[in-house]
């Protein structure tokens, strides 16, 4: 995961995201997915009043759509029109009330957002920002990462096993092998769907990328038009994360999630940074993919992307807030990479309440110099010298992007273990058990790297202890 290069804008031109207050969303506004995939016309007006006048005055004209589709489909509730199909959780979390607006002119966007924020019907107005990540996690920061080994390299099995041994993964999988009915969502650059090491555990997946090339912006390559649902990876980042979770090959250690399965959501497309491809997507694209994963029933979502607080305006709400609230209300466990700046600073979504933020350690368990720190970081996991799947064969990857999937995989094992005992576990308890069972950092007094280093076996045993106590409390009732 990385911050946007300094020569790239971190927002899409002429686009903004508008969150209306509860009860203010008009019924007639279509969903973005309906417009892109099913030919429904975009909306050309919103309230017939002050919002429309401001958008026309500052933006010269517009088209708009809801970022999210309702959990309840038209065929399930034919008498409920448009926005009325959203349920109470969708409304209260805010996902039912977020609009993506495209303007004809964007030079007065700051003035427009200031004016919109004064209206009583508006909760938030902010630019639609870009989120970026690099395949090896390298970024411009004080502590550069070791270079990643090129695609199709031969795997150093001793090094590959070292990451798994550090977190006692082999013992954990023997203790609790997972369950194919428990699905982990992977919101990333997609996955190489026919990779020989991955196909056994992959669900079909989908694509929400919808970007537009702009002057001075990143050079987009490959599929960026939002015209299909194919989650095929064109960067390698998502495939690398998937390999950590569900690899099944004699050339790699087994996937950390055991028998659990993975549902890939391609929420970031591909752009060129020099001669290298990196993943890039908009907040709206990412959030739409996240909500769809939740509505499809995933139990865990891995989020190896982020935006630094320094990239936001002082009064701008953190990105992904609505969809994170929605996920937590649905009982979905969220895991995010802390960032690769080497600084102490919040990255979002990792720093949002309820998200399990993961820092990176090397194969000896020492904190990686590049790992972003902060009080919000829950724990750390291996994130340097990680052997996993690549676009063509294998890769050796570095970054907190590749530490987070280890934690996500253990969360999936915990969810499967809890469900096998007929006692589902919620996101907050999952976080507590992971933190309490983590192994202390090798050096005392380490700050901003969480409570300790992931211990997969200890986390599962702590879960069983909690389930035993929980069953006893229920029996007393």
């Amino acid at each position: 995961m990385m911050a946007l290069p300094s020569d790239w804008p971190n927002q899409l031109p002429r686009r903004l995201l508008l969150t209306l207050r509860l009860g203010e969303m008009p019924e007639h506004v279509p969903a973005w997915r309906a417009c892109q995939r099913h030919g429904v016309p975009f909306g050309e007006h919103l309230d017939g009043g002050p919002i429309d006048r401001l958008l026309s005055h500052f933006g010269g004209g517009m088209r708009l759509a809801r970022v999210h589709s309702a959990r309840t489909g038209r065929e399930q509730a034919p008498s409920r029109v448009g926005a009325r199909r959203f349920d109470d959780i969708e409304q209260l979390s805010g996902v039912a009330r977020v609009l993506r607006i495209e303007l004809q002119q964007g030079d007065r966007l700051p003035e427009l957002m200031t004016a919109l924020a004064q209206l009583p019907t508006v909760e938030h107005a902010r630019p639609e920002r870009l989120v970026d990540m690099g395949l090896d996690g390298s970024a411009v920061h004080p502590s550069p990462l070791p270079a990643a080994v090129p695609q199709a390299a031969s795997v150093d099995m001793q090094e590959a096993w070292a990451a798994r041994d550090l977190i006692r993964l082999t013992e954990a999988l023997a203790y609790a092998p997972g369950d194919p009915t428990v699905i982990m969502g992977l919101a990333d650059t997609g996955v190489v769907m026919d990779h020989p090491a991955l196909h056994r555990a992959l669900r079909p997946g989908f694509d929400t990328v919808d970007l537009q090339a702009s002057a001075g912006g990143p050079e987009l390559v490959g599929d960026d038009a939002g015209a299909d649902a194919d989650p095929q990876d064109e960067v390698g980042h998502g495939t690398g994360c998937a390999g950590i979770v569900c690899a099944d090959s004699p050339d790699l250690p087994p996937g950390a999630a055991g028998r659990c399965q993975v549902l890939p959501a391609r929420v970031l497309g591909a752009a060129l940074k020099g001669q290298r491809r990196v993943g890039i997507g908009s907040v709206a694209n990412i959030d739409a993919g996240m909500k769809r994963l939740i509505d499809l029933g995933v139990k865990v979502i891995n989020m190896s992307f982020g935006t630094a607080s320094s990239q936001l305006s002082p009064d701008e709400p953190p990105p992904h807030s609505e969809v994170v609230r929605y996920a937590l209300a649905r009982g979905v466990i969220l895991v995010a990479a802390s960032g690769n700046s080497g600084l102490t600073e919040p990255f979002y979504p990792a720093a949002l309440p309820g998200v399990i933020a993961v820092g990176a350690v090397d194969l000896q368990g020492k904190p990686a110099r590049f790992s972003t720190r902060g009080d919000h970081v829950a724990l750390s996991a291996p994130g340097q010298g990680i052997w996993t799947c690549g676009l063509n064969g294998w890769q050796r990857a570095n970054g907190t992007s590749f530490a987070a999937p280890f934690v996500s995989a253990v969360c999936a094992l915990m969810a499967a273990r809890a469900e096998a005992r007929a006692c589902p576990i919620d996101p907050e308890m999952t976080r507590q058990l992971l933190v309490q069972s983590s192994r202390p950092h090798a050096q005392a007094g380490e700050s901003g790297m969480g409570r300790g280093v992931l211990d997969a076996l200890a986390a599962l045993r702590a879960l069983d202890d909690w389930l035993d106590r929980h069953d006893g409390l229920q029996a007393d009732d």
Side-chain angles (χ1 to χ4, degrees), residues 22-31 66 68-92 95-97 291 330:
L22 192 63
E24 297 296 338
M25 176 65 77
E27 291 181 0
H28 71 273
V29 179
R66 298 192 311 267
H68 302 289
S69 299
R71 183 184 182 92
T72 301
R74 182 176 301 172
E75 66 285 354
Q76 297 167 284
S79 63
R80 295 167 64 187
V81 179
R84 293 177 56 201
R85 286 201 297 273
F86 289 98
D87 64 21
D88 289 348
I89 293 178
E90 290 170 307
Q91 292 286 358
L92 293 172
V95 295
R97 301 181 275 116
K291 184 177 187 296
R330 295 286 186 204

Side-chain angles (χ1 to χ4, degrees), residues 138-263:
S138 59
V140 180
H141 51 58
S143 307
L145 288 168
V149 170
Q151 304 282 340
S154 297
V155 176
D156 181 335
M157 289 300 287
Q158 182 176 354
E159 191 175 48
W161 275 105
R164 279 73 175 177
D165 293 342
L166 180 66
I167 62 173
R168 295 206 288 176
L169 185 58
T170 301
E171 298 93 328
L173 290 172
Y175 186 87
D179 188 318
T181 65
V182 173
I183 305 170
M184 191 194 99
L186 184 63
D188 214 290
T189 60
V191 172
V192 175
M193 299 300 290
D194 58 353
H195 197 292
L198 296 176
H199 61 85
R200 180 192 62 80
L202 289 180
R203 296 293 182 100
F206 58 89
D207 178 2
T208 61
V209 173
D210 176 32
L211 298 171
Q212 296 175 352
S214 59
E219 181 183 349
L220 303 176
V221 293
D223 178 12
D224 60 16
D228 63 69
D230 184 5
Q232 189 71 10
D233 189 2
E234 298 176 323
V235 177
H237 190 278
T239 300
C241 291
I244 293 167
V245 174
C246 64
D248 180 18
S249 167
D251 296 311
L252 279 179
R259 297 173 185 166
C260 300
Q261 297 203 332
V262 173
L263 177 58

Side-chain angles (χ1 to χ4, degrees), residues 15-83:
R15 286 195 191 181
L16 72 148
L17 299 177
L18 186 68
T19 303
L20 300 180
R21 295 197 182 277
L22 192 63
E24 297 296 338
M25 176 65 77
E27 291 181 0
H28 71 273
V29 179
W32 167 81
R33 187 178 170 205
C35 298
Q36 283 290 335
R37 301 285 167 82
H38 305 295
V40 175
F42 283 89
E44 295 181 351
H45 68 93
L46 183 60
D47 65 345
I51 295 180
D52 286 348
R53 288 194 293 272
L54 287 174
L55 292 171
S56 177
H57 177 72
F58 288 103
M62 63 179 169
R63 68 174 191 171
L64 54 87
R66 298 192 311 267
V67 170
H68 302 289
S69 299
R71 183 184 182 92
T72 301
R74 182 176 301 172
E75 66 285 354
Q76 297 167 284
S79 63
R80 295 167 64 187
V81 179

